[in-house]
Amino acid sequence: MIEVLRSGLLTTVQDLGRPGLAHLGVGRSGAADRPSLRLANRLVGNAEDDAALEITFGGLAVRFERATTVALAGAPCAVEVDGRCRDLHAPVAVAAGQTLEVGMPSRGVRTYLAVRGGLAVTPVLGARATDLLAHLGPRRLREGDRLTFGPAVGQIPGVDVAPVAALPVAPVLRVSPGPRADWFTADALDSLRTSRFEVTGQSDRVGVRLSGPVLRRSRTEELPSEGLVEGAVQVPPDGQPVIFLADHPVTGGYPVIAVVHPHDLPLVAQARPGQQVRFTLEPGLL
Amino acid sequence: MRFLPAGHHGLLVECDDLAEVMQLHRALVHNRPAGVVDLVPAARTVLLTFDGSTSHARLAATVEGTDLATLADVAQAREVTIEVTYDGEDLAEVAELTGIPASEVVRRHQAAPHTVAFTGFSPGFAYIAGGDPRLSVPRRATPRTRVPAGSVALAGGFTGLYPREGPGGWQLIGRTVAPLWDLDREPPALLTPGTRVRFTEARR
C-alpha cells in the first residue's frame, strides 16, 4: 500500500491504454511517453503494460507501508527517499515507512513511477489508464489516496542504471505528409519544414499546441469529421498546429497536414511549454 | 475510393458517400484484415490503424478487393428502439429552419428508419443517419456549454444522442432515458456502427 502525501500538479494512473475500441468512441489513452512507462516497469520486474504513475511536472510525495522496489523513468528530476537522492532509470529499494519525493523535472514534462507488482486499480474496458478527455479509468490522484499493488512476478533485472538518451533541448520531429497535406498551400508545407514552433501552455494529454507561422489552407470548405491517429498534426482555423497525444479525440473536423513518426512521439509527450520544436518532412508513405 | 496515408500505422480510406462508408465498415468488421488495430468510420472516411505485421499497400489492396455489394444484404443488423420525449429547447427553431411544423417534425423523426453510421466525439455518442432528409439542419451558431445527458439532437443530417452531460452544438429536439453508455454492459455503448434505430414517442 502507498499513501499519497502530495499529488503534484497532475498525477494519473497509466498503462499502455485501450487500443481497438475506437468504434465505441473510446480512444487508446495510456502513458503519453510509452517507452518510459515500459522501462520503469521492466526495471522492477513488471510486465511492460502494468499500471504505473504518470507524474506531470513532479511534485509527488508518497509513503510506503511495505518495503518494495520502485523505478522512475522519463523526464529527469530529483528523486529522494527519506531525503536521500536516488537515480532515475534504476531499481530503487524502499523500506517500510519511507517517503519518496519527486521534484520538478529539469527537462521534459512526464516522469513515470513504477512499483514492483504494478498498481492494482480496477481496470475499465480492459485497461487501467486514465483518459482525461473521455473521463474513463481512475480519476487523477489526490492527497490522501491509498493505492495497492499486485503480487511481484518477474525478476528484477541486474542493472545499476539503464542507459537512456538525454531529452533534446530543441527536438526535431520527423513527420510524413498527409492525410490532408493537399488542403494546404505549398507555403504551409514549407513553413512546417523550415520554421521553429514554440510549445504553448495550453498543452496537455490531449495534445501539444504550438505557436509559429500561420499554416494557410488552400481549401477552405468544412472537412467532414474523420478518424484521428496519435501524432496527427492538426491545423485548426487559426493556422496554429496541434500534435495529438494519448488522450486525443477519436475523430476530428480539421485537416491533418502531417503525422509525427511513432518513434518521435515520446519527444512530443516530453515537449515543455516555451520549448522550440522543428519538423523534418519525410517522404510520403503511399 | 481514395487512399490517404495517416502516419506509419494509419490508412485513411476516403469514400464517395456515407452509404459507401457504412458498407465498407460493415465489410471490414465482418472480414477483418490481419494486423488491423482499430476501424474508425466517419462521415466520408474509414480510418484503419494497424500494427507492424501489415502495410499501407497491403491494406489498400485488401480494401480495393472488398466486395461491398453482396455483404450489405447478408449483414444482420441489431435493432434498437429509442423512446423519446419530444420537448427539446430547439424544436421550435428546427420547425422554423425546415419550414415544417413542430408536430410534423416529431412525426417525421419517428417515421424514418435510422442506422448508426459512426461514433466519436465522446464515448457512446452515435451519429445516426438515414433520417428524413427534410430534417437536415445546421449546428447552432453558438454551441451550448452544457447539454444534458440523454439529449436527442439534430445536425447535418444526423441524429445524435448525448450519453453524458457536456458541451454541444446540435439542435435539441428531445430527450431519452435509454442507457446509452454503461460500463457494466458488453459493449458499453448501446449504439455501435451498423445498429438500426427506431425512434418512438415516450408515453407520458
Side-chain angles (χ1 to χ4, degrees):
Chain A
M1 181 93 84
I2 53 179
E3 185 188 351
V4 178
L5 305 178
R6 283 199 315 275
S7 58
L9 187 67
L10 170 67
T11 301
T12 56
V13 176
Q14 298 296 345
D15 57 13
L16 294 180
R18 345 183 140 73
L21 299 179
H23 59 290
L24 304 178
V26 172
R28 174 165 181 162
S29 187
D33 174 356
R34 287 199 284 271
S36 292
L37 173 101
R38 287 193 165 108
L39 174 60
N41 270 327
R42 282 202 305 273
L43 287 168
V44 295
N46 288 351
E48 287 194 336
D49 62 350
D50 272 337
L53 293 178
E54 180 179 279
I55 307 156
T56 317
F57 288 121
L60 179 80
V62 291
R63 184 162 50 219
F64 290 77
E65 279 183 11
R66 275 200 292 125
T68 185
T69 303
V70 304
L72 292 105
C77 56
V79 177
E80 291 181 3
V81 175
D82 274 4
R84 291 189 162 206
C85 282
R86 291 288 182 265
D87 283 327
L88 250 72
H89 310 131
V92 174
V94 183
Q98 284 193 318
T99 297
L100 179 141
E101 290 177 89
V102 180
M104 175 79 171
S106 54
R107 209 176 270 184
V109 176
R110 298 176 170 94
T111 310
Y112 294 83
L113 168 62
V115 180
R116 185 158 164 75
L119 295 172
V121 298
T122 311
V124 173
L125 299 177
R128 297 179 166 89
T130 304
D131 186 331
L132 293 173
L133 184 75
H135 304 278
L136 279 177
R139 60 161 173 74
R140 60 203 293 176
L141 255 58
R142 289 190 205 131
E143 190 185 312
D145 281 351
R146 298 164 81 81
L147 300 164
T148 54
F149 26 93
V153 182
Q155 290 283 315
I156 293 176
V159 293
D160 293 333
V161 176
V164 171
L167 288 170
V169 177
V172 181
L173 307 172
R174 287 167 289 173
V175 292
S176 50
R180 297 294 175 186
D182 59 344
W183 279 53
F184 293 86
T185 63
D187 283 353
L189 277 160
D190 271 348
S191 293
L192 188 71
R193 197 167 48 80
T194 56
S195 307
R196 287 175 191 282
F197 292 83
E198 189 176 307
V199 177
T200 76
Q202 277 82 52
S203 301
D204 54 21
R205 284 181 43 83
V206 174
V208 167
R209 280 162 210 282
L210 303 176
S211 123
V214 171
L215 303 180
R216 286 186 207 287
R217 278 163 63 167
S218 53
R219 292 177 65 173
T220 53
E221 70 262 37
E222 201 170 310
L223 177 78
S225 287
E226 58 192 25
L228 281 174
V229 296
E230 196 174 353
V233 182
Q234 191 195 56
V235 184
D238 66 2
Q240 301 291 288
V242 182
I243 310 175
F244 281 117
L245 284 178
D247 287 355
H248 69 82
V250 174
T251 58
Y254 300 123
V256 169
I257 188 169
V259 178
V260 174
H261 193 290
H263 291 172
D264 293 346
L265 282 174
L267 302 179
V268 181
Q270 297 293 3
R272 209 165 153 137
Q275 203 172 7
Q276 308 245 311
V277 300
R278 284 196 304 115
F279 296 96
T280 53
L281 205 55
E282 300 214 303
L285 290 164
L286 205 67
Chain B
M1 230 180 251
R2 204 158 72 101
F3 299 99
L4 306 166
H8 282 70
H9 300 300
L11 177 71
L12 191 68
V13 184
E14 194 172 54
C15 297
D16 294 338
D17 52 25
L18 181 62
E20 194 180 64
V21 168
M22 292 168 72
Q23 281 181 347
L24 175 62
H25 179 253
R26 197 156 44 196
L28 293 174
V29 166
H30 193 255
N31 200 355
R32 201 177 176 95
V36 166
V37 175
D38 256 315
L39 289 169
V40 192
R44 286 287 173 277
T45 53
V46 179
L47 171 69
L48 292 82
T49 65
F50 52 91
D51 61 27
S53 70
T54 186
S55 67
H56 294 90
R58 203 178 304 170
L59 284 175
T62 305
V63 168
E64 220 151 33
T66 301
D67 187 355
L68 302 183
T70 51
L71 200 98
D73 306 326
V74 180
Q76 289 185 328
R78 209 163 52 94
E79 186 168 305
V80 171
T81 300
I82 304 280
E83 291 196 359
V84 181
T85 304
Y86 287 98
D87 61 356
E89 277 179 53
D90 301 326
L91 195 53
E93 195 171 329
V94 170
E96 199 170 308
L97 285 164
T98 57
I100 299 171
S103 61
E104 180 64 8
V105 168
V106 170
R107 194 195 65 77
R108 284 177 182 237
H109 193 247
Q110 294 174 76
H114 290 75
T115 307
V116 177
F118 55 97
T119 57
F121 179 61
S122 70
F125 185 98
Y127 292 74
I128 306 164
D132 190 315
R134 289 278 310 273
L135 298 186
S136 183
V137 289
R139 287 165 202 235
R140 291 169 53 82
T142 312
R144 290 187 170 86
T145 54
R146 196 190 143 270
V147 172
S151 290
V152 177
L154 301 179
F158 294 103
T159 298
L161 310 178
Y162 286 77
R164 51 179 296 145
E165 185 186 303
W170 292 34
Q171 312 270 4
L172 309 185
I173 60 166
R175 61 200 151 87
T176 180
V177 293
L180 301 169
W181 181 254
D182 178 0
L183 281 170
D184 295 326
R185 184 175 56 197
E186 178 50 41
L190 180 65
L191 305 173
T192 53
T195 306
R196 298 219 175 100
V197 182
R198 275 191 346 109
F199 294 102
T200 61
E201 186 149 22
R203 292 193 196 165
R204 307 214 166 209

